[in-house]
Amino acid sequence: MAAKLVDTTSLFAFRLNVALAMEHDSLSMLDELEAAAESDEVRHMFAHHADETREQIENVQKVFTILDIEALTVTCPVTVGLAEDARTLIEASDERIRDLAALNAAAGTENYEVGAYRTLIAAADGMEENSVRNLLNANLDQERHTSDELDRKIRSLLA
C-alpha cells in the first residue's frame, strides 16, 4: 500500500481492492477444491460457487465504476493464507475424508468473506450509496447462503 489511509473514503477504496483480490483468490481456491473433491456432489457445490464468485467479482468491479475508484493490484493476505491452509489440509487428508477436508477449507474462506462484505456494506450505508449497497449485499447474501450450505454438508458427512 503506497498511500496512507486518511479518511473513510480511502479506507473503503482500499478494502474494496482487497475484496476484489479476495474473490480472485477464492476463485482459484475453488478450482483446486473442486479438483480435490472425491464426490460428484461436492465437486458440483464448488463449481456452483465458482460461478457465483465470478458474479461477485463483476459486482465488485461495478462498485469501482459507480464510485469512480481506481482498481489497484493488491493482495489479500488472509485469503492467500486460507488457500495455503486448504492445500495443506487436502494434502494431509486421506481420500476417505477429502470431501470433508475440502468443505472445511471452503467454510473458513466463506466466514472471512461474510465479514469483509459486512464492513463494506456498513461503509456504503454511510456514503448513502444504495446501488453500491445493493451490489455488495447481493454478494453477502450469496456468501451467507454458501456458508450455510457448506455447514449442512459438513454436518451430513459427520453424521
Side-chain angles (χ1 to χ4, degrees), residues 117-138:
Y117 283 116
R118 289 180 69 190
T119 59
L120 285 169
I121 290 166
D125 285 345
M127 293 185 283
E128 298 181 6
E129 289 287 347
N130 289 335
S131 58
V132 167
R133 185 186 198 294
N134 291 342
L135 289 164
L136 296 173
N137 204 53

Side-chain angles (χ1 to χ4, degrees), residues 14-120:
F14 180 76
R15 294 301 298 160
L16 190 64
N17 275 287
V18 171
L20 185 59
M22 167 188 80
E23 292 297 0
H24 282 290
D25 291 344
S26 294
L27 188 57
S28 295
M29 187 171 84
L30 285 165
D31 289 342
E32 292 178 35
L33 294 175
E34 182 182 354
E38 292 292 323
S39 73
D40 288 341
E41 181 184 4
V42 172
R43 275 192 294 275
H44 175 73
M45 286 175 70
F46 290 136
H48 174 71
H49 188 53
D51 290 339
E52 288 182 335
T53 301
R54 287 181 194 90
E55 292 173 20
Q56 292 163 7
I57 289 169
E58 288 177 23
N59 286 348
V60 172
Q61 290 170 330
K62 288 176 185 175
V63 172
F64 280 105
T65 300
I66 291 167
L67 297 176
D68 195 28
I69 295 173
E70 181 182 2
L72 305 172
T73 302
V74 300
T75 59
C76 180
V78 174
T79 50
V80 169
L82 287 168
E84 183 58 32
D85 181 63
R87 284 183 210 98
T88 301
L89 191 59
I90 297 298
E91 288 172 12
S93 298
D94 183 83
E95 64 187 31
R96 292 173 293 177
I97 62 163
R98 187 124 338 113
D99 282 351
L100 187 57
L103 291 164
N104 273 267
T109 302
E110 291 306 310
N111 288 328
Y112 175 72
E113 291 174 339
V114 165
Y117 283 116
R118 289 180 69 190
T119 59
L120 285 169

